[in-house]
Amino acid sequence: MITHHFVDRQKLQEIHPFTRLAALLADTLPGKSPLTDGAPINLSIGEPQNQPPHFVAEAISQNTTGWSRYPLSKGNPDYLNACIEWMERRYSLPKGMVNPAKHIIGVPGTREGLFMTALTVLPPPKQGEEAPVFLIPNPGYQVYTGAAAAAGAEIVTVSATRESGYLPDYTQVPEETLKRTALCVLCSPSNPEGAVADPQRIRNLIDLARKYDFVVAFDECYAEIYTNTPPHSAIEIAADLGGDLSNILIFHSLSKRSSAAGLRCGFIAGDEKWISMINTTCQVGGAGVPHPVQAAGTLLWQDEDHVIENRARYQQNFKLAQEILGNSIPVEIPAGGFCLWLDVADGVQATIKLWQEAGIRVMPGTYMSHKDKTGTTPGDRYIRIALVYDIDYMALALTKIKDVLAPWIPTLNNERSKGDVA
Ligand SMILES: Cc1ncc(COP(=O)(O)O)c(C=O)c1O
């Protein structure tokens, strides 16, 4: 389903998923969790809980002179080269396709990168003219909405449902909307569902963007967290298409890859014209990545061992979720990411129940979604559970989730189907 929205910048706080979750649970005392001390368990946020490798701290302490120097907005050559070499290895890119002077910029994270991109790419509407359109997946990461609101763009949400493979099908967007589109996001692996776009889907979107001359921001921040097959990148598809990077930007960071969300270290690569303009936006109003952080980031992009270990932890957690929940609450193991997108019939009620009875905090899917024309959201039936802790901790939490929800979901479904008949 395709739905148009304007979001008032001053109301962003009200629609922020974590604000809504805090308000939902504000007056409810948490139940005793299955931890020995009964303390609440937070599975609502996708923040990796394992530590980045020890050489991060070493690299930072060896580069302390860098704290007194302002960072270059674009990033240091060593850092940018490490990012490019990683892309060349990971996506088998031809050497030289990504030019450090033209096609890449360092950013603190994909969040900042996406926001700065929206501010740069979305033209301000002139009086009497229609606002530019920003195509986003529904549900999706809240920063897309926030960035659109800041830029005064019209958001057009495209539903990602089980039927659409949990990804938005932008080829269904009407031509009059595509003509007004300036920016579009495809997140793969996607948050919250963990769906991965196949090469054909990426290729179709690149073709569409070139035909209607809009930019696609490929949010690939979960690229290294996958279950079986490494997800494809838009830059890989661009290489197959001859190496032209026009209309394409890819976004990566060390937050998920290296469990280093607090480091704030990432990059954007792609279209030369837009990279240059985003660099200017960042020069004017952004915060570059500090020199010592770039030194640590360089080493992280060069190392694969810690990433392999990280990925294995999430794969184990998914296997565990399948074993614990599998027979009682149907689990769809996603192709990527580290979250379970669980159909629990009513995400908000399930969230309250888990908090009240088990001290477990999860994210209702509806808080990550926009209402469509039917007045419902594609996330209404779901909760998002971040499997970010170690396996013993996750085993306790998942067993409790099963105990609380498994008897309740069928009752709710029954009540609803009776309601439908009546
Ligand atoms: C889909 C998606 N994009 C971007 C981000 C931002 O991550 P970072 O700025 O740490 O790279 C997140 C964080 O959770 C995310 O889930």
Side-chain angles (χ1 to χ4, degrees), residues 240-256:
D240 290 346
L241 292 171
D244 177 11
L245 292 176
S246 52
N247 304 76
I248 297 169
L249 295 169
I250 66 165
F251 294 74
H252 284 265
S253 81
L254 295 168
S255 301
K256 324 288 182 196

Side-chain angles (χ1 to χ4, degrees), residues 326-394:
N327 289 331
S328 23
I329 309 173
V331 170
E332 292 176 83
I333 302 294
F338 47 54
C339 294
L340 269 187
W341 184 236
L342 207 61
D343 183 344
V344 292
D346 183 328
V348 168
Q349 290 311 316
T351 300
I352 297 172
K353 214 171 152 52
L354 284 173
W355 184 243
Q356 204 163 35
E357 294 177 25
I360 297 177
R361 203 175 182 93
V362 296
M363 178 58 77
T366 192
Y367 290 178
M368 301 193 68
S369 315
H370 289 270
K371 276 195 180 144
D372 61 29
K373 289 173 205 151
T374 65
T376 63
T377 86
D380 287 354
R381 293 184 59 92
Y382 292 81
I383 52 173
R384 188 189 72 172
I385 305 177
L387 305 184
V388 286
Y389 291 87
D390 66 42
I391 194 150
D392 296 335
Y393 191 102
M394 288 311 320

Side-chain angles (χ1 to χ4, degrees), residues 88-405:
E88 288 171 350
R89 282 195 307 278
R90 170 72 167 80
Y91 299 120
S92 308
L93 301 184
K95 281 239 170 277
M97 178 181 152
V98 183
N99 180 331
K102 296 180 181 167
H103 298 130
I104 184 162
I105 169 182
V107 284
T110 51
R111 171 202 287 246
E112 294 86 340
L114 287 159
F115 200 84
M116 289 304 192
T117 298
L119 287 186
T120 309
V121 171
L122 293 164
K126 299 228 177 77
Q127 216 154 26
E129 274 182 18
E130 284 183 302
V133 163
F134 185 5
L135 296 177
I136 61 172
N138 189 24
Y141 181 47
Q142 71 273 6
V143 169
Y144 313 145
T145 303
E154 182 176 339
I155 302 168
V156 174
T157 56
V158 180
S159 297
T161 57
R162 180 176 284 131
E163 294 70 40
S164 71
Y166 292 117
L167 289 167
D169 183 359
Y170 292 122
T171 61
Q172 299 298 311
V173 175
E175 179 157 44
E176 69 265 22
T177 305
L178 290 170
K179 282 185 181 156
R180 290 174 48 215
T181 298
L183 183 61
C184 168
V185 172
L186 184 70
C187 183
S188 170
S190 66
N191 176 11
E193 312 92 333
V196 167
D198 63 25
Q200 192 57 49
R201 188 185 287 262
I202 300 173
R203 187 185 286 242
N204 290 346
L205 185 54
I206 294 174
D207 288 347
L208 204 65
R210 290 183 178 159
K211 179 165 176 202
Y212 291 96
D213 194 21
F214 59 82
V215 174
V216 189
F218 289 93
D219 183 351
E220 299 179 352
C221 68
Y222 291 93
E224 295 289 64
I225 316 297
Y226 52 83
T227 317
N228 293 311
T229 317
H232 292 280
S233 167
I235 205 155
E236 201 180 350
I237 308 303
D240 290 346
L241 292 171
D244 177 11
L245 292 176
S246 52
N247 304 76
I248 297 169
L249 295 169
I250 66 165
F251 294 74
H252 284 265
S253 81
L254 295 168
S255 301
K256 324 288 182 196
R257 177 184 197 273
S258 301
S259 306
L263 193 67
R264 307 313 299 142
C265 198
F267 70 85
I268 314 175
D271 187 311
E272 178 180 352
K273 175 183 100 178
W274 289 112
I275 288 287
S276 161
M277 290 179 71
I278 296 163
N279 186 29
T280 307
T281 308
C282 293
Q283 252 174 339
V284 174
V289 183
H291 296 283
V293 171
Q294 288 189 61
T298 301
L299 299 181
L300 286 171
W301 287 112
Q302 289 166 341
D303 184 68
E304 287 304 320
D305 292 348
H306 75 282
V307 186
I308 294 167
E309 259 174 51
N310 249 351
R311 190 158 47 237
R313 293 168 92 108
Y314 295 122
Q315 287 168 346
Q316 275 184 338
N317 281 349
F318 276 124
K319 218 167 137 237
L320 181 81
Q322 176 90 71
E323 280 162 19
I324 295 178
L325 303 177
N327 289 331
S328 23
I329 309 173
V331 170
E332 292 176 83
I333 302 294
F338 47 54
C339 294
L340 269 187
W341 184 236
L342 207 61
D343 183 344
V344 292
D346 183 328
V348 168
Q349 290 311 316
T351 300
I352 297 172
K353 214 171 152 52
L354 284 173
W355 184 243
Q356 204 163 35
E357 294 177 25
I360 297 177
R361 203 175 182 93
V362 296
M363 178 58 77
T366 192
Y367 290 178
M368 301 193 68
S369 315
H370 289 270
K371 276 195 180 144
D372 61 29
K373 289 173 205 151
T374 65
T376 63
T377 86
D380 287 354
R381 293 184 59 92
Y382 292 81
I383 52 173
R384 188 189 72 172
I385 305 177
L387 305 184
V388 286
Y389 291 87
D390 66 42
I391 194 150
D392 296 335
Y393 191 102
M394 288 311 320
L396 289 174
L398 287 163
T399 306
K400 191 71 187 176
I401 290 174
K402 185 195 72 179
D403 293 346
V404 173
L405 295 186

